[in-house]
Amino acid sequence: MKSSAGARTGYACVFLFAGVVVEMYKTDDGQEVYENAIETLFLKYFTDRGIDPYKDKIEHNRANAAFMDIYDHLFKPDKNMVRKNNKKSLLDYSDIDTLNDIARIFIKLCNEFNLTPWLYMYSSLTGIAEDTLISWGNGEYRGKIYYDMQGNVIKDIQLYKARREGEYREEVTDRHSALVKNIRKAATNSKKARLSDSDIGNITQANNDEEIGLLYAQKEAKAIAEAWKPPERPLQIAQRRQKAPPSLPEFELSDNE
């Protein structure tokens, strides 16, 4: 939500709220404003460069640069920070709810600006290596969700253990695989929607994407089949006429009537 009561005075803080990356700042009249930080930074990247994303066509390489810029602002670790498993992201990979929320924002932005939500762009946004995402999609990684004895999700199990806050239970989940499959499904739907834009565009996409190539081939085969459909023979016409309902008889009015 944006406020029109006062001018923005700059970034105050960026944090997670209900799984969504939120940016909070104060206006010059002291009002606190909360925004979706990913969407705000995405639009800001283009407006800072004199581009109107709602009017100008956004190419995928430029959109990917915008997602990389968002990564630098939100998810890139400091050089001196100790990184768990040598990750290049501040995100907790076990926090699947946050990763799903970021994916929903990512897909929404791509749909809004006529972009295909490629997996490599989600990697650019989050800092999660594309190879890692592919392994999740292939089911090679099964995450774990930790719960305390009251059934509440434990966000940081290491901190929970260090504080000795009590017993907990763990549950193996395949939600990481579902996350990647959802992004791939969104990309496929986007490609199908864009397939009918132009023949030249379709051929270009078909030459660079195996799935688009298959869709384009199916479309062309159907068009050729319709174009070369043999004409009906006289017997077929007669049979079709026999199946038609009989017409009502015509009556002539005589002068006496």
Side-chain angles (χ1 to χ4, degrees):
M1 181 180 68
K2 295 183 180 180
S3 171
S4 57
R8 179 178 180 146
T9 58
Y11 290 102
C13 64
V14 175
F15 58 96
L16 292 175
F17 177 74
V20 178
V21 182
V22 174
E23 177 191 355
M24 185 276 286
Y25 64 89
K26 288 187 177 181
T27 60
D28 54 7
D29 58 0
Q31 289 192 30
E32 291 186 352
V33 180
Y34 297 85
E35 293 182 352
N36 176 334
I38 295 175
E39 185 173 354
T40 299
L41 290 172
F42 184 83
L43 296 175
K44 185 176 184 297
Y45 175 87
F46 294 102
T47 55
D48 285 352
R49 290 158 177 78
I51 299 171
D52 185 344
Y54 293 101
K55 294 181 180 180
D56 304 325
K57 179 178 174 58
I58 301 176
E59 300 295 340
H60 281 82
N61 59 342
R62 181 58 70 89
N64 191 53
F67 288 128
M68 293 172 68
D69 186 68
I70 297 170
Y71 162 74
D72 288 341
H73 280 85
L74 299 181
F75 306 124
K76 187 175 181 179
D78 184 77
K79 291 182 179 180
N80 300 321
M81 183 179 294
V82 177
R83 306 175 192 178
K84 184 179 179 181
N85 299 324
N86 198 31
K87 293 191 305 184
K88 295 183 178 179
S89 177
L90 292 174
L91 290 166
D92 180 0
Y93 292 5
S94 65
D95 186 358
I96 188 61
D97 290 326
T98 295
L99 298 181
N100 272 321
D101 286 336
I102 294 172
R104 279 191 285 269
I105 296 170
F106 165 69
I107 292 170
K108 174 181 174 292
L109 281 173
C110 289
N111 289 340
E112 185 173 356
F113 296 102
N114 197 29
L115 298 162
T116 298
W118 298 109
L119 197 61
Y120 78 86
M121 293 199 299
Y122 182 75
S123 171
S124 297
L125 170 62
T126 60
I128 303 173
E130 190 174 0
D131 289 344
T132 299
L133 292 171
I134 291 172
S135 71
W136 291 358
N138 293 337
E140 298 171 10
Y141 171 81
R142 295 176 68 84
K144 292 181 180 180
I145 301 178
Y146 298 92
Y147 301 90
D148 62 22
M149 302 315 293
Q150 285 72 44
N152 302 310
V153 176
I154 302 171
K155 292 292 185 180
D156 191 333
I157 187 60
Q158 300 302 328
L159 182 61
Y160 188 88
K161 290 179 180 179
R163 290 177 175 175
R164 299 181 180 179
E165 296 189 25
E167 296 182 6
Y168 64 90
R169 62 183 178 86
E170 63 182 49
E171 181 180 301
V172 178
T173 175
D174 61 353
R175 293 176 66 191
H176 288 77
S177 175
L179 163 71
V180 175
K181 289 176 181 177
N182 287 338
I183 295 174
R184 285 173 169 167
K185 182 179 179 181
T188 298
N189 291 339
S190 173
K191 289 185 286 186
K192 287 180 179 178
R194 298 172 62 203
L195 190 59
S196 59
D197 288 351
S198 69
D199 286 338
I200 295 177
N202 289 338
I203 294 172
T204 302
Q205 291 186 68
N207 288 336
N208 291 279
D209 187 280
E210 183 177 351
E211 190 171 10
I212 282 291
L214 179 60
L215 292 171
Y216 182 67
Q218 291 173 344
K219 178 187 174 185
E220 289 298 293
K222 183 177 180 181
I224 293 172
E226 290 292 331
W228 287 91
K229 187 177 181 180
E232 289 184 319
R233 297 178 181 178
L235 179 60
Q236 291 174 317
I237 297 175
Q239 290 174 340
R240 181 161 50 80
R241 287 177 176 174
Q242 288 177 0
K243 294 179 181 179
S247 57
L248 296 174
E250 295 182 1
F251 296 94
E252 292 184 2
L253 296 176
S254 63
D255 294 338
N256 295 332
E257 294 176 340

